[in-house]
Amino acid sequence: MTHLQAGLSAETLEKAKVELKENPDSLHQDIQEVRDLIITRPDIGFLRTDDAFILRFLRARKFNHPEAFRLLAQYFEYRQQNLDMFKNLKPTEPAIKQALKDGFPGVLSNLDRFGRKILVLFAANWDQSRYSFVDILRAILLSLESMIEEAELQVNGFVLIIDWSNFTFKQASKLTPSMLRLAIEGLQDSFPARFGGIHFVNQPWYIHALYTVIRPFLKDKTRKRIFMHGNNLNSLHQLLQPEILPSELGGMMPPYDMGTWARTLLQHSYDEDTDTDPCQESYTLSVQDLERNLERNMSPKTMKRSQSVVEPGVLKRADKVRSDEENMQPLLSLD
């Protein structure tokens, strides 16, 4: 085991070897092969290229070097194309702070049986008068940046549960296709996290309609990991044991305290008053500009450029190594 694998349990080391093809004897060579590809994308400013940072991208793509580099390139390209999103990206920024305090995201204290961290979103908590969907996305990305520092989570990954109870049609109307595509690009295509499952519970009909809109932009692998449970919490409990879930999700734990994760990030700043951001109006305008520019950033020309990271033929995908859960079919309960 090298120092780059420090902190991994024996069980996780074995999982990294079997599922991700991680080999401690070739780890530094793997990292260097990804780093050597940086010269193929002179249009991108790679602001961090240390070993530990590149390793998380290799783990996210099961040590397929070209795919790991593509993800690394898209990580920085996404930030270049959406500069407004990453200005003042810190937990004390007023809109992000309020989103965090409302549980965007919530993070459960217990891991699931595969060692994955469970994120929960109670959609109805979205206070649209205080922060936008982009602010929620910023809070989620900020949270993931903090959690992905943990090597165990780089290997084991995350699970996301979205509870749509009491989420109104008016709230849903703010989820524009452009904003949803922005979230997909940021989480699916540009972040080195392994999502083992995305679970919708208590979703109304208009959430099914939104899913139909965004489905073409999801990778097949992502689609297979989205589970629509409706109000059938028993199907959720077949995949996530109720012993670790809060009572709102039919679990045996107490009701979830929305401020739990916010306190972790904010620490002593949690109880400080969140004053109205004097730049809120200008920030709102910048979000509108971002939405208008999204179509340009996701145009066929732009997407073609971002995919052409090395010579043609090199980017053949490695054979998929599927875990038992990856082979499970989604539960399409449309209650």
Side-chain angles (χ1 to χ4, degrees), residues 274-304:
T274 302
D275 297 326
T276 301
D277 185 356
C279 299
Q280 186 63 45
E281 182 177 356
S282 62
Y283 176 73
T284 301
L285 290 173
S286 70
V287 170
Q288 293 171 349
D289 291 339
L290 183 149
E291 185 168 6
R292 284 194 294 269
N293 290 335
L294 187 57
E295 295 298 328
R296 174 181 57 80
N297 290 339
M298 304 228 4
S299 66
K301 181 179 179 181
T302 302
M303 297 300 288
K304 182 178 180 181

Side-chain angles (χ1 to χ4, degrees), residues 104-199:
F104 294 106
V107 180
L108 301 188
S109 56
N110 295 315
L111 305 175
D112 76 352
R113 60 179 174 271
F114 299 107
R116 298 176 301 198
K117 183 72 78 174
I118 301 175
L119 278 63
V120 293
L121 301 177
F122 294 92
N125 286 357
W126 180 12
D127 185 347
Q128 296 178 340
S129 68
R130 304 190 69 176
Y131 49 90
S132 69
F133 176 75
V134 172
D135 294 315
I136 292 176
L137 178 57
R138 278 155 42 95
I140 292 172
L141 288 171
L142 180 66
S143 298
L144 287 172
E145 289 284 2
S146 174
M147 287 184 279
I148 205 65
E149 293 288 336
E150 187 177 337
E152 286 273 333
L153 295 181
Q154 293 173 19
V155 175
N156 293 325
F158 302 85
V159 173
L160 176 62
I161 305 174
I162 306 178
D163 185 351
W164 298 98
S165 300
N166 301 315
F167 189 72
T168 67
F169 185 85
K170 181 179 179 181
Q171 287 174 305
S173 68
K174 300 294 184 180
L175 298 175
T176 67
S178 293
M179 289 294 99
L180 292 172
R181 288 171 64 184
L182 183 71
I184 292 168
E185 188 184 21
L187 297 171
Q188 172 186 258
D189 303 326
S190 308
F191 197 87
R194 305 182 67 208
F195 280 96
I198 302 170
H199 301 270

Side-chain angles (χ1 to χ4, degrees), residues 11 34 50 57 63 67 132-133 188 209 238 274 299 306 324:
E11 181 181 3
V34 173
D50 58 275
F57 292 87
F63 280 76
E67 290 295 326
S132 69
F133 176 75
Q188 172 186 258
Q238 291 175 17
T274 302
S299 66
S306 67
D324 289 341

Side-chain angles (χ1 to χ4, degrees), residues 14 38 79-80 108 116 149 189 192 199 201 232 264 285 320 334:
E14 181 64 19
I38 288 176
R79 281 148 181 74
Q80 286 180 190
L108 301 188
R116 298 176 301 198
E149 293 288 336
D189 303 326
H199 301 270
V201 298
N232 182 9
T264 300
L285 290 173
K320 293 183 179 179
L334 304 182

